[in-house]
Amino acid sequence: MRWLKELEHLFQIKIDQEQYQVITDEHICLQVIAGAGSGKTFTICCKVYYLVYVKKVPPYKILLLSYTNYACLEIKNYLKKMNLKIEVMTFHKFALNILKLNHISYQIEVDLKNVIVPFIEALRTDDRNYYEDLILSYRTTNYIKKRLLKYIYHILWKIKKEEIPTWLESSILEDLVKKDNVDLLVKFEQYKQKNHILFFSDMVMTALNLLKKNDVILQDYTYLFIDEFQDISKERFEFIHQFHRLTKCYIIVVGDDYQSIYQFADSNVYYFVHFLDYFEHSHQIFLNHTYRNSQELLAFSKKVISKNHNQIHKVLYSEKHLINPIQCYYYSDNRSYVMALIKILEVILKENQGKNILILSRYQFDLEIMKEKKIHHILKTCPSNIQIDMLTIHKAKGLGYDVVIFLNLRQGKYGFPSTEMNIDLEEERRLFYVALTRTKSYVYLLIPKKNPSMFVEELFTS
């Protein structure tokens, strides 16, 4: 197996048995369930290498999809080192390519604000009655006043073309964002279609509607890879499912339902958990060997994530061992909070626990504590070879650090989880799981004595 030795020599890494199974698997539909730190991106890139150099699949027959340009760049870097030129793109780019292939051209818009003024102008000139009613709906709820104001607006329209008031722009923009005003949304969709305007958020659905037509033109991909599949939305899932149905391509998806944390962006972990129900001739392979976390930390994180129900059971293992990988520091007020954080930083730096440190929070505003004078001084005088990043959990997903410090693990309205906001407890628990598994060694938890997060109890109860 020359190809295997070439890959292991190129990356100076031993490909494990589970990774080898993924690389050589020949099922039409393959779901790779990859634990945190199991080398999933590396593994799927190795599978592409195997397909091209061993199975002689032409590179132009392979497409890799991911969610962000950053994730695409990581894949491209692996492929570049393998001397492979493979298409790697986001879902939006893939959808746009299908539209272009079918000779459908659109004016692509990123910001809704760019379209508001021309949209209002179109209403004012082409749909005057609706325009006047819309203005009056924002100005008064009284029927008599509405009739009187409408008459005044009608007279003004004949005498002088009035300017669009600023408050009307902001009111219509707010309604379109909230999606509360159904009539306004219909008018806006009609305007977009008439003027061939397409937003990024429309691309996938527009391409999906095109895929449902009999005469659609498609690029002939034989293999379709999708990274971070646990973050798939209903719309994107239907898009991929329809593309697979039309092209009969091999489809390889990789992800971890334990790390599905983008429900606010319409991701739905259901489609990852029930992948086998939707794709015929499908097969699952687990990447359970993690190279990031210690076995002891995996045991703690498992205790928390096991409280969830809608997920795929998996047993992760590691050859790394570490006594007490989770260190708890309790505080009673803001002063003791600052002092506890200073002590943690001093311990990490004194014991030389790592060259890159992650300071992690559930909310962005929790990171404000790092501006405190004494803490700022420590960060400023930190050795130049030490990298300290400060991120929310969402931004830290996919990253690994030598040490992690988690701030303000409290209960309350802006706690973790929040006790007052409308939250999905299972998703919040997955967020905590992601936070714990960013570390290669220790996780330091800063916990208030009076109202600790329920996740702390879940960590330390059997």
Side-chain angles (χ1 to χ4, degrees):
M1 290 190 291
R2 184 178 170 185
W3 64 269
L4 184 61
K5 291 179 180 178
E6 287 173 350
L7 284 171
E8 290 182 336
H9 176 72
L10 183 62
F11 291 96
Q12 293 297 296
I13 193 171
K14 182 72 175 174
I15 292 174
D16 65 39
Q17 187 58 39
E18 293 165 350
Q19 292 171 335
Y20 177 81
Q21 280 183 284
V22 171
I23 294 167
T24 57
D25 185 84
E26 296 185 352
H27 286 86
I28 294 173
C29 298
L30 175 64
Q31 181 186 28
V32 181
I33 301 165
S38 61
K40 65 178 181 61
T41 304
F42 168 72
T43 304
I44 61 171
C45 290
C46 287
K47 186 171 181 67
V48 173
Y49 182 96
Y50 175 79
L51 289 173
V52 173
Y53 290 114
V54 180
K55 291 298 183 177
K56 306 303 179 184
V57 176
Y60 63 85
K61 292 278 190 177
I62 302 171
L63 174 65
L64 283 87
L65 293 180
S66 196
Y67 286 84
T68 64
N69 289 324
Y70 176 83
C72 288
L73 183 61
E74 182 186 9
I75 295 170
K76 287 177 181 177
N77 287 338
Y78 274 121
L79 296 176
K80 185 177 180 181
K81 199 167 183 179
M82 295 174 179
N83 197 29
L84 287 170
K85 292 184 178 179
I86 306 290
E87 284 190 284
V88 184
M89 63 185 72
T90 63
F91 279 84
H92 290 114
K93 180 71 185 303
F94 183 35
L96 187 60
N97 283 356
I98 290 175
L99 297 179
K100 287 179 178 178
L101 195 62
N102 286 270
H103 309 293
I104 299 173
S105 60
Y106 284 92
Q107 174 189 330
I108 306 300
E109 290 289 351
V110 179
D111 194 343
L112 184 60
K113 293 177 183 177
N114 297 336
V115 187
I116 289 298
V117 172
F119 170 55
I120 297 173
E121 286 283 5
L123 288 178
R124 188 170 66 173
T125 55
D126 303 332
D127 202 346
R128 183 67 189 181
N129 283 334
Y130 178 79
Y131 173 73
E132 290 176 358
D133 286 339
L134 189 63
I135 288 178
L136 298 175
S137 71
Y138 293 127
R139 304 306 278 179
T140 180
T141 57
N142 185 285
Y143 178 75
I144 300 298
K145 285 184 178 179
K146 276 188 180 182
R147 291 294 297 260
L148 179 60
L149 285 170
K150 187 164 185 175
Y151 176 74
I152 293 170
Y153 273 113
H154 192 67
I155 296 298
L156 284 173
W157 170 251
K158 289 182 177 180
I159 299 171
K160 184 181 179 181
K161 200 171 184 178
E162 79 278 22
E163 291 185 1
I164 297 171
T166 306
W167 61 262
L168 182 60
E169 286 182 43
S170 57
S171 297
I172 289 178
L173 180 63
E174 185 179 350
D175 269 5
L176 289 174
V177 171
K178 288 182 177 179
K179 299 182 178 180
D180 289 337
N181 190 330
V182 177
D183 290 337
L184 183 63
L185 287 170
V186 170
K187 296 284 185 183
F188 188 60
E189 286 302 316
Q190 290 170 348
Y191 172 78
K192 282 162 53 183
Q193 289 179 22
K194 182 180 178 180
N195 293 277
H196 303 285
I197 294 171
L198 191 67
F199 288 91
F200 274 107
S201 56
D202 301 324
M203 284 183 183
V204 174
M205 180 54 76
T206 306
L208 172 59
N209 291 334
L210 188 61
L211 291 181
K212 292 177 181 178
K213 297 180 179 179
N214 294 327
D215 56 347
V216 62
I217 304 168
L218 295 173
Q219 192 160 337
D220 187 22
Y221 293 114
T222 306
Y223 287 87
L224 178 61
F225 289 76
I226 306 168
D227 195 16
E228 303 290 1
F229 197 76
Q230 77 278 346
D231 294 327
I232 199 87
S233 65
K234 182 177 185 292
E235 183 179 86
R236 289 176 180 178
F237 181 84
E238 290 176 352
F239 173 51
I240 292 303
H241 191 268
Q242 180 69 1
F243 183 85
H244 168 72
R245 192 184 69 81
L246 293 175
T247 62
K248 310 300 181 188
C249 65
Y250 285 78
I251 184 164
I252 300 97
V253 306
V254 60
D256 179 11
D257 49 306
Y258 286 1
Q259 299 185 74
S260 178
I261 60 171
Y262 292 108
Q263 196 174 102
F264 66 88
D266 294 328
S267 74
N268 190 337
V269 72
Y270 174 88
Y271 295 105
F272 187 85
V273 174
H274 295 276
F275 178 84
L276 300 184
D277 298 333
Y278 286 91
F279 291 91
E280 293 182 8
H281 313 295
S282 53
H283 180 63
Q284 283 180 338
I285 296 178
F286 288 77
L287 294 181
N288 286 332
H289 189 177
T290 176
Y291 297 90
R292 181 189 301 151
N293 312 130
S294 65
Q295 188 63 50
E296 290 74 15
L297 187 127
L298 290 175
F300 276 112
S301 58
K302 178 69 174 179
K303 285 167 69 174
V304 175
I305 202 66
S306 293
K307 303 288 184 183
N308 283 355
H309 301 289
N310 184 31
Q311 58 191 13
I312 300 169
H313 175 72
K314 58 188 77 70
V315 180
L316 303 181
Y317 64 95
S318 171
E319 293 169 3
K320 292 172 66 174
H321 290 277
L322 189 65
I323 299 172
N324 299 325
I326 296 180
Q327 302 283 320
C328 296
Y329 283 71
Y330 290 86
Y331 60 91
S332 55
D333 53 28
N334 194 61
R335 182 178 176 279
S336 60
Y337 180 30
V338 170
M339 296 309 295
L341 182 49
I342 290 171
K343 186 175 181 181
I344 291 169
L345 287 168
E346 288 175 345
V347 168
I348 292 171
L349 296 173
K350 183 180 179 182
E351 296 181 3
N352 194 26
Q353 291 182 1
K355 300 300 181 186
N356 58 76
I357 301 164
L358 173 62
I359 297 173
L360 199 57
S361 69
R362 172 63 181 88
Y363 304 100
Q364 185 68 38
F365 61 78
D366 276 326
L367 293 170
E368 292 294 313
I369 190 71
M370 305 309 298
K371 295 178 182 178
E372 197 277 336
K373 189 175 180 181
K374 292 179 181 177
I375 297 172
H376 181 69
H377 177 73
I378 292 175
L379 299 180
K380 196 174 180 180
T381 57
C382 193
S384 59
N385 64 330
I386 302 291
Q387 175 189 336
I388 300 181
D389 290 343
M390 292 173 277
L391 301 170
T392 62
I393 304 171
H394 285 102
K395 291 178 181 177
K397 183 175 174 291
L399 304 177
Y401 288 81
D402 293 326
V403 190
V404 171
I405 302 170
F406 195 93
L407 302 175
N408 214 0
L409 195 55
R410 68 193 181 285
Q411 202 85 344
K413 181 178 180 180
Y414 294 105
F416 188 28
S418 171
T419 54
E420 295 182 33
M421 291 187 286
N422 184 23
I423 55 116
D424 181 336
L425 182 58
E426 294 211 349
E427 173 129 337
E428 291 292 294
R429 196 174 276 117
R430 290 194 294 268
L431 270 167
F432 188 50
Y433 178 85
V434 168
L436 293 175
T437 54
R438 295 313 92 201
T439 185
K440 297 175 185 176
S441 60
Y442 295 99
V443 178
Y444 291 87
L445 303 180
L446 280 152
I447 309 164
K449 291 179 181 177
K450 291 181 180 178
N451 57 334
S453 166
M454 63 179 285
F455 295 147
V456 176
E457 183 180 350
E458 291 181 357
L459 267 180
F460 298 107
T461 55
S462 55

